[in-house]
Amino acid sequence: MRRCAVLAFCLLFLFFITFPGVMTLFALTTGKNLDRQLKGNFDPVEKPVLNSESVLSKTFQQNFETYFHNSFIGRGCLVTTYNQIRHSLFDENPLSCVGDSLIHEPYIIAHMGIDPYNYNDPKLLSEMENYVGKLQIVSDLLRDRGKSFIVVTAAGKAAYFEEDIPQRYYLMSRGLGAADCLDNIIRTTDVLYLNCDQYLSEIDFRYPVFYKSSHHWSRTAEIEIENAIFDIINRETPFSVETYDIRATIESSVPIDRDADTEELMNLWFSSEETYYTYEIDVNLVQESTNICIQGDSFTSLIARDLFENGHSGIVSNIDYDNAYYVNNECVSLLGHDFSTLDIDKIVSENDIFIIVYTDYNIPGYGYGFIDALYSYLNGITGGL
C-alpha cells in the first residue's frame, strides 16, 4: 500500500512537471493552444527583455519566473483542476475570487462584527450615531423641500451561509456588526427605513436569498425587495410608483440574470447543481410622474434598470457607489470616487425621492460620501443648522 502511494505521488509529480512542456510543444507543433482561458481580472505580466544587463543584474531571471508562472501553456487547465478539487471536496472557492467557502472574507468579518467592524467599540458607535444623525437631518431637509428619503439595509451572503463560514472566524473576537448597529439607532428616528432581511423573514420568503454561484441576491429576493420599497413610497410618501403582482414562479437549472456571477469567476470544469428561480410579474403602472434617485451598491443599478424597463413614469437616476452617475440606464458621468464632480443642485432639484441602499459590508463606507455631499449641500441652502 505504501509503495503504491509513493508511486502514485511520483507519477502525479511527473505529470505536473511534464504537462506544461507537452502543452507547449503541442501548441508549437500544431498552432493550437488547448489551454483553458481563465475568467476574472488579472494583472498583466509583461515578458521580460533578455539582454546581458538584465541577466547580470538577475532581474531577467526574477521577472521571467514571475512571467512564466502567470503565462505558461497549461496553467489554465491546472488552475481549473485545482479549483474543482477544492470546490468539490472542501466546498471552497479560490481566494482570488470570492474567498473562503464561497463567501468573500470582508463580508464574513462585517457580518460577524469582527474587528474592524465591531461597533461595540465606543469610537465606532459614536461615528455611527453621528452618521445616523446626518441621515435624519438629510431626511428632514428633503422633506422640507417636498421630497422623500428612504434608507434600505441588507445583510450580505455570509448571513445566509453561516454554516459555510470557516471555523477560524468563529474563534475570533466578535461584537456588534455594522448592520445591527445602524438598525438599532435608525429605529429611534423617523427616517423611512427598510430592513430587507427582517422583511423577507416576516413574509416567510420561500426561495433562496443567495445562491452559492453568486454573491448577489437571487432574482426572486430582488423583486420582493423592490416591491417592498415601492410599497413604502406609496404608503408613506406623497408620491406614487408602480408595483408588481407576482403571477407565477419559474424554475431553472441554469442561472438567471446575475445568479452565475460568482460561478463564472470560479473557473471550474463542472458547474454547481442548484435550482434557480425567478418570477413572472404583472406591472401595476401609475399615471403620476415621479423622479427617483437611487444610490448604493450593484442592487441599485438593478432597481433602476427594472424601473426603466417596466415603464416607470419619470426619471430614474442611479449613482453606482461613487463610480458613475446614470440617468434612465445611460451613463451621464464617471465620478472617479469624487462627489464634487456631481451636480448635486440639479439632482436635488429634479428628483422627488431619494433611496440609499446599504449592505452590512459597505455600511462602514457610509454611502461612499454621497450622504455627506447631500448633507453639505442641503445644509448650505438652509443657511446652517
Side-chain angles (χ1 to χ4, degrees), residues 97-330:
C97 171
V98 289
D100 294 88
S101 297
L102 310 161
I103 311 167
H104 191 30
E105 183 179 55
Y107 286 85
I108 296 174
I109 294 173
H111 165 63
M112 299 182 74
I114 297 171
D115 291 338
Y117 295 90
N118 182 358
Y119 279 75
N120 280 329
D121 181 297
K123 181 176 181 294
L124 290 179
L125 178 60
S126 176
E127 289 176 359
M128 183 67 81
E129 289 170 341
N130 289 336
Y131 185 71
V132 175
K134 279 188 177 179
L135 293 176
Q136 176 71 76
I137 292 169
V138 167
S139 177
D140 292 342
L141 294 175
L142 286 172
R143 189 183 299 119
D144 291 344
R145 295 169 63 86
K147 303 175 185 297
S148 297
F149 179 74
I150 302 170
V151 171
V152 178
T153 64
K157 187 174 181 179
Y160 292 88
F161 285 86
E162 290 190 329
E163 71 278 5
D164 291 318
I165 295 175
Q167 187 61 31
R168 67 176 178 273
Y169 294 104
Y170 287 100
L171 300 177
M172 296 180 184
S173 173
R174 290 182 289 155
L176 181 65
D180 289 336
C181 183
L182 186 144
D183 185 83
N184 293 341
I185 299 170
I186 202 168
R187 289 184 185 279
T188 65
T189 72
D190 65 357
V191 174
L192 293 178
Y193 169 62
L194 174 66
N195 181 321
C196 297
D197 309 288
Q198 180 186 24
Y199 174 78
L200 291 175
S201 173
E202 288 175 348
I203 65 170
D204 192 25
F205 185 63
R206 296 181 294 117
Y207 303 102
V209 177
F210 288 90
Y211 298 107
K212 287 195 171 184
S213 61
S214 176
H215 66 276
H216 289 121
W217 292 357
S218 66
R219 185 61 179 140
T220 44
E222 288 168 345
I223 292 173
E224 294 282 5
I225 292 304
E226 286 183 37
N227 230 3
I229 294 171
F230 302 156
D231 246 7
I232 290 175
I233 292 172
N234 291 329
R235 190 178 65 249
E236 304 288 345
T237 80
F239 306 102
S240 297
V241 296
E242 61 268 37
T243 53
Y244 305 145
D245 287 336
I246 296 168
R247 184 169 64 248
T249 301
I250 302 171
E251 292 187 12
S252 172
S253 60
V254 297
I256 298 167
D257 206 351
R258 305 189 301 170
D259 294 340
D261 53 4
T262 296
E263 188 170 273
E264 287 177 352
L265 297 177
M266 288 166 63
N267 292 304
L268 302 175
W269 291 112
F270 308 104
S271 299
S272 301
E273 292 185 4
E274 293 192 76
T275 300
Y276 300 89
Y277 302 90
T278 189
Y279 289 141
E280 284 186 1
I281 61 171
D282 291 321
V283 182
N284 302 310
L285 294 172
V286 297
Q287 296 300 315
E288 180 180 340
S289 180
T290 301
N291 294 343
I292 301 175
C293 177
I294 314 169
Q295 190 271 331
D297 65 359
S298 59
F299 180 45
T300 63
S301 303
L302 195 72
I303 301 173
R305 184 197 75 182
D306 285 349
L307 281 166
F308 179 72
E309 291 182 354
N310 288 330
H312 174 73
S313 180
I315 297 170
V316 182
S317 304
N318 174 49
I319 300 170
D320 176 27
Y321 293 101
D322 54 356
N323 298 325
Y325 171 49
Y326 297 85
V327 176
N328 290 341
N329 269 16
E330 292 188 8

Side-chain angles (χ1 to χ4, degrees), residues 1-6:
M1 178 68 77
R2 183 177 180 183
R3 186 173 295 175
C4 290
V6 171

Side-chain angles (χ1 to χ4, degrees), residues 30-91:
T30 65
K32 296 179 180 179
N33 187 343
L34 298 182
D35 201 4
R36 191 168 193 265
Q37 184 65 43
L38 298 176
K39 297 179 181 179
N41 297 317
F42 303 95
D43 293 329
V45 180
E46 295 183 5
K47 187 175 182 178
V49 177
L50 176 63
N51 54 43
S52 58
E53 182 181 345
S54 65
V55 171
L56 292 174
S57 66
K58 297 183 178 180
T59 57
F60 174 80
Q61 294 91 316
Q62 294 168 356
N63 292 337
F64 183 80
E65 181 180 352
T66 302
Y67 167 76
F68 183 76
H69 174 270
N70 286 275
S71 59
F72 69 83
I73 298 177
R75 179 175 182 267
C77 292
L78 292 177
V79 168
T80 301
T81 301
Y82 173 68
N83 290 348
Q84 188 71 59
I85 291 170
R86 285 187 60 188
H87 177 66
S88 298
L89 297 183
F90 307 108
D91 203 20

